[in-house]
Amino acid sequence: MTVMSMISMIMAPLAGVIVDRFRVKKTLFFTMTLLMGVFSFSFMFVPKVPLEMGVEMKCESEIIMIVHSDTAQQNTSSFNDENNDELITCKLTCQNTKSYDHKINTTNNRSDFCDHWTKTTCNSDIESINDRSRIDVTLKLKDMERTESSYVFYLSSVQMNGTEIPLKCQCGLKTFCHISCPNKDMMRIATVPAYRGNVLNLYQFWIFFMTVSAFWTCVIIAVTLQNPICLDILEDKPEDYGKQKCWSSFGWGGFSIFIGWLVDRFSVGKKEKDYSPVFYSCILLTICNLFVINKLKVTETKKSKEKWKSVYGLFTKHYVIVFYIWVATNSFLHTIITHFLFWYMEDLVSANNDHDQRAWLKTLQGLAQGIQCFGGEIPFFFWSGWIIRKMGHINCMAIVLGAMAIRMYLYTVIWNPAWIIAIELLNGVSYALGLSVKMSYAKIMSPEDSTNTIIGIIALFDCIGDSLGSLLGGYLFYSYGGVWSFRFFAYGSALMCLLNILSNRFGLTKDLKNCNFVAVSTTENNQKQ
């Protein structure tokens, strides 16, 4: 998604410049919508990543082999049957992983597993496929403990490259291994749906990456053109942008609930979620969109020789610079939620080990998006014009950041993902009101016949926020988990809200009210004279 945002940084302002220069707004909008439908349906044909037969080797006080499985508690196989004394030998091919708290023995008498492991995997004279080492382990199926999410096997013996290895272990070591075992039950539970190697080496990843890139390019151009078309229809009432935009929330929320339920319904009895209803629905939705676009009366931009001079002049005004910083910050925070909230919900379900919640998780996620739209966005989109007129653009900008801080903090104090449905009511303030403020402020400050270009520049700052949010958010969620990451961003949003209030207090911002750019510029020039 970081790369997708970089693509957007180029395509969003470029789309605005193209339609201002060549007056092809409707043609380009129609074409991008058609291609969005084509590429969204093509996701169905992206090949799957190969499954792996993998286990985890762990070495602390003793050597154990762990097989992770979400259905360990429900599995009825008799692995730990007392009569099951049969010895099973499995072949492991392990990644080159060094022990992390053990010093290598410098003597010839190597006394434990860690020393043999280090000697085998770190010796440059030993050549193995993909830099891995082969290990043979012998175990009894009855010597197994079952936890909530894994099977733990205690090993009877370990051989590494034909050498018997002592079972003593004085280091901390953990590595992922491919497994080949004659026992069918063992192979069944060891088959994992996640690829744990380097995805950059998979052709499936690159097909997926190119499909996402093509789809995302069409989306960002279509959205960049959609906003000025909406503002053109509103003519001299840009603050009513939210009333028009609420219909997109109606579509988003309605289809999120319906498609979420449909995916779960089609996935009953299947090991993996069946997303085919999503992609088939894209055909119908694309046909409807193209019909509507064909009926739209789109106002093409008039050419203006002074346009670029006026656009450049905007960046010399401090209130415009502060506005663009707010745009990037708002997009940054919103990206954290859109990219990581669903993963956070799945983590909560896994932590609760609630299999009923897991079975209907997509429906729950669909409901969360439905509440975002029906309970949050639609009311605030509809009343955003009235709120902006009463409170002003600048005060609304601070409110948006404050609501985002509260929203993110609340994520961190719940234990049941169902509570997220209630929290998503704040999406109305943190997203819907923010988007209305952004578009109406852009329309008011835009030079004549340059709205498309200005909105394209705003989209560029949106993309900067998206890119940083994807990159930093991914790192923090991977390193510290969802709770501390959301809390960190909540504090960051509260800080930016405070800075926004202070910038307003010291006159670094300006509420343009219902004046247009020309009027503001004229007033400023008269004051200077």
Side-chain angles (χ1 to χ4, degrees):
M1 294 310 300
T2 302
V3 176
M4 296 306 108
S5 299
M6 292 178 180
I7 293 174
S8 302
M9 289 181 195
I10 300 172
M11 302 310 301
L14 183 61
V17 171
I18 288 174
V19 296
D20 276 343
R21 178 85 171 91
F22 300 103
R23 292 178 288 181
V24 290
K25 191 188 299 181
K26 185 172 183 177
T27 302
L28 188 58
F29 190 38
F30 186 95
T31 304
M32 290 300 105
T33 303
L34 173 62
L35 291 177
M36 279 170 56
V38 172
F39 288 123
S40 59
F41 184 71
S42 66
F43 278 107
M44 283 194 64
F45 305 102
V46 175
K48 288 187 175 182
V49 172
L51 296 179
E52 287 190 347
M53 278 63 74
V55 297
E56 183 180 74
M57 286 284 287
K58 194 171 183 180
C59 174
E60 290 180 352
S61 60
E62 57 185 326
I63 307 168
I64 58 175
M65 188 177 76
I66 304 173
V67 180
H68 296 284
S69 174
D70 293 334
T71 59
Q73 285 286 71
Q74 284 68 40
N75 201 301
T76 57
S77 63
S78 56
F79 278 154
N80 54 353
D81 191 332
E82 292 183 359
N83 297 322
N84 201 339
D85 288 327
E86 178 186 0
L87 285 171
I88 297 175
T89 300
C90 300
K91 296 183 181 298
L92 306 181
T93 306
C94 298
Q95 296 175 355
N96 184 351
T97 305
K98 298 178 182 179
S99 56
Y100 52 81
D101 64 356
H102 177 74
K103 294 182 179 180
I104 304 173
N105 262 324
T106 57
T107 64
N108 292 327
N109 182 21
R110 297 183 177 272
S111 59
D112 65 12
F113 176 80
C114 299
D115 291 324
H116 287 274
W117 173 266
T118 307
K119 178 182 178 181
T120 303
T121 58
C122 297
N123 192 333
S124 59
D125 294 332
I126 295 176
E127 296 181 358
S128 57
I129 300 174
N130 294 329
D131 197 26
R132 298 184 178 207
S133 178
R134 296 187 180 280
I135 302 175
D136 293 333
V137 297
T138 303
L139 55 91
K140 293 181 180 180
L141 294 182
K142 73 171 187 178
D143 296 334
M144 181 269 295
E145 291 183 1
R146 188 179 302 170
T147 67
E148 292 183 352
S149 60
S150 64
Y151 302 90
V152 180
F153 293 91
Y154 295 91
L155 306 179
S156 301
S157 67
V158 177
Q159 287 188 342
M160 188 176 293
N161 294 330
T163 303
E164 188 78 19
I165 305 299
L167 294 177
K168 289 192 302 179
C169 193
Q170 299 175 2
C171 70
L173 179 150
K174 184 169 66 173
T175 185
F176 180 79
C177 305
H178 294 271
I179 185 171
S180 176
C181 209
N183 185 275
K184 293 182 179 179
D185 287 330
M186 175 67 78
M187 295 304 294
R188 174 174 52 80
I189 65 169
T191 302
V192 294
Y195 182 77
R196 306 200 184 190
N198 187 351
V199 295
L200 299 180
N201 295 330
L202 294 176
Y203 76 90
Q204 293 96 331
F205 167 79
W206 290 108
I207 294 176
F208 174 75
F209 178 83
M210 296 305 296
T211 306
V212 173
S213 299
F215 174 74
W216 193 261
T217 299
C218 297
V219 168
I220 195 64
I221 293 176
V223 171
T224 302
L225 299 178
Q226 172 184 301
N227 290 322
I229 289 174
C230 178
L231 292 169
D232 287 342
I233 293 173
L234 294 172
E235 295 178 345
D236 58 345
K237 294 183 179 180
E239 65 274 11
D240 287 339
Y241 169 86
K243 289 185 179 180
Q244 188 75 18
K245 191 67 177 177
C246 72
W247 290 101
S248 69
S249 298
F250 182 85
W252 186 292
F255 273 91
S256 294
I257 297 173
F258 175 67
I259 293 297
W261 172 82
L262 208 58
V263 168
D264 282 334
R265 187 70 184 84
F266 273 72
S267 302
V268 173
K270 298 180 180 179
K271 290 185 177 180
E272 298 177 359
K273 292 294 183 181
D274 183 358
Y275 293 97
S276 59
V278 177
F279 304 120
Y280 281 115
S281 68
C282 292
I283 301 175
L284 176 62
L285 295 175
T286 300
I287 293 173
C288 293
N289 285 338
L290 294 177
F291 175 78
V292 172
I293 292 172
N294 190 53
K295 296 293 183 180
L296 279 177
K297 294 182 179 179
V298 177
T299 303
E300 297 292 352
T301 306
K302 298 178 182 179
K303 291 184 179 181
S304 174
K305 294 181 179 179
E306 301 296 324
K307 180 188 71 174
W308 288 109
K309 185 181 294 185
S310 300
V311 171
Y312 174 77
L314 278 179
F315 287 91
T316 63
K317 296 175 172 57
H318 49 76
Y319 62 86
V320 175
I321 295 173
V322 172
F323 170 68
Y324 280 129
I325 293 173
W326 175 83
V327 168
T329 302
N330 197 39
S331 297
F332 175 93
L333 296 169
H334 185 66
T335 295
I336 299 299
I337 293 176
T338 56
H339 287 359
F340 300 105
L341 179 59
F342 280 5
W343 281 0
Y344 182 62
M345 292 176 70
E346 292 174 1
D347 288 344
L348 288 177
V349 170
S350 298
N352 296 338
N353 198 30
D354 190 325
H355 295 278
D356 291 333
Q357 282 186 344
R358 189 186 305 279
W360 295 100
L361 179 59
K362 297 304 169 183
T363 302
L364 184 63
Q365 291 172 337
L367 283 171
Q369 284 205 332
I371 292 299
Q372 284 180 3
C373 298
F374 291 107
E377 290 180 13
I378 290 179
F380 275 88
F381 270 140
F382 188 80
W383 292 106
S384 60
W386 179 83
I387 295 173
I388 292 170
R389 281 190 288 269
K390 289 292 184 180
M391 304 194 66
H393 289 86
I394 305 305
N395 290 329
C396 287
M397 291 178 192
I399 292 172
V400 167
L401 292 173
M404 185 69 78
I406 296 171
R407 180 182 179 184
M408 286 186 166
Y409 185 80
L410 289 177
Y411 291 151
T412 68
V413 297
I414 62 171
W415 57 270
N416 190 328
W419 283 107
I420 289 178
I421 294 177
I423 297 173
E424 292 311 276
L425 291 171
L426 287 170
N427 191 57
V429 186
S430 59
Y431 173 71
L433 180 61
L435 184 58
S436 298
V437 169
K438 183 195 306 181
M439 288 298 117
S440 61
Y441 198 82
K443 176 67 174 179
I444 293 171
M445 76 177 189
S446 296
E448 188 178 0
D449 301 328
S450 298
T451 301
N452 300 312
T453 302
I454 293 299
I455 291 179
I457 295 173
I458 288 176
L460 171 62
F461 282 88
D462 278 332
C463 296
I464 292 172
D466 290 343
S467 181
L468 294 175
S470 301
L471 189 62
L472 182 58
Y475 171 76
L476 290 178
F477 273 79
Y478 176 79
S479 302
Y480 301 102
V483 172
W484 287 107
S485 297
F486 272 123
R487 195 162 293 181
F488 172 80
F489 292 120
Y491 295 152
S493 183
L495 175 62
M496 293 304 296
C497 176
L498 177 62
L499 292 177
N500 189 277
I501 294 173
L502 292 176
S503 65
N504 186 27
R505 175 69 178 81
F506 290 103
L508 297 177
T509 55
K510 178 179 292 188
D511 210 324
L512 303 181
K513 303 296 182 184
N514 292 321
C515 305
N516 57 31
F517 175 82
V518 176
V520 173
S521 300
T522 303
T523 302
E524 291 179 351
N525 290 333
N526 291 336
Q527 290 175 349
K528 290 179 181 179
Q529 291 175 358

